[in-house]
Amino acid sequence: MSDRQTVLPDLIDALVALGIARFAEATVTDGPVDMGNLGAYLCIGCDDPFSESARPAATSTIEWVTNNGREESGYVACAIYAWDGSGVMKTARDECLSMASVIQADLKARTVTLDGAHWRDLNFADAQYGQDRLNGAALAVLSFHINYRARI
């Protein structure tokens, strides 16, 4: 049995580190993003940009399974924003969805590891896509959850 109480804070840290390693040209944030410039942004642990009301940045439920451990499950809310200053929506959309594909591949390959946690599931889910134009720039937005289930 692990001494770990929860995977949630370390999972968020690991996802931020993975984003920084994978997307050198993007701004990766731990929490909400303040978009001051054009370009790509990956927000880990942020609320849903498509919702009018505040949503959780992450959730966690822990249940005892046996005397040898607990199961923790939940999600981390994330969003990708891709701005194209020339106003070409396809360019913004392609960048946004390309970043999502890299994240999906990393989750599938189980590149996120945490000491004392054994992943049962770690997947990309609940994606919502949107696009907009603002001051001549094209914006593509993908919000999604990284769902997890781990034995701790």
Side-chain angles (χ1 to χ4, degrees):
M1 186 159 89
S2 168
D3 290 333
R4 178 181 287 283
Q5 298 302 307
T6 178
V7 299
L8 187 57
D10 291 334
L11 175 57
I12 292 171
D13 291 346
L15 293 171
V16 169
L18 179 65
I20 290 169
R22 293 289 189 258
F23 306 114
E25 299 299 319
T27 300
V28 178
T29 64
D30 182 348
V33 63
D34 181 15
M35 289 182 284
N37 299 305
L38 297 175
Y41 296 82
L42 171 61
C43 167
I44 306 292
C46 56
D47 62 357
D48 182 354
F50 295 108
S51 177
E52 295 287 327
S53 60
R55 303 283 181 167
T59 64
S60 171
T61 301
I62 299 175
E63 298 177 12
W64 284 97
V65 178
T66 68
N67 289 336
N68 295 324
R70 302 171 309 259
E71 288 278 329
E72 181 176 0
S73 61
Y75 69 81
V76 177
C78 304
I80 298 169
Y81 300 85
W83 287 93
D84 179 69
S86 63
V88 179
M89 192 59 69
K90 178 172 177 32
T91 303
R93 181 175 52 250
D94 288 353
E95 182 170 17
C96 182
L97 297 178
S98 174
M99 290 175 67
S101 293
V102 170
I103 293 166
Q104 290 170 342
D106 281 334
L107 294 173
K108 184 177 179 183
R110 295 289 194 259
T111 58
V112 176
T113 59
L114 301 177
D115 291 337
H118 305 283
W119 296 120
R120 300 281 194 233
D121 290 307
L122 188 62
N123 58 58
F124 188 101
D126 304 319
Q128 298 180 77
Y129 176 78
Q131 51 190 31
D132 201 357
R133 292 193 190 279
L134 184 62
N135 297 327
L139 171 65
V141 180
L142 184 73
S143 71
F144 58 96
H145 290 167
I146 295 178
N147 291 344
Y148 68 92
R149 189 166 53 105
R151 174 65 62 95
I152 56 175

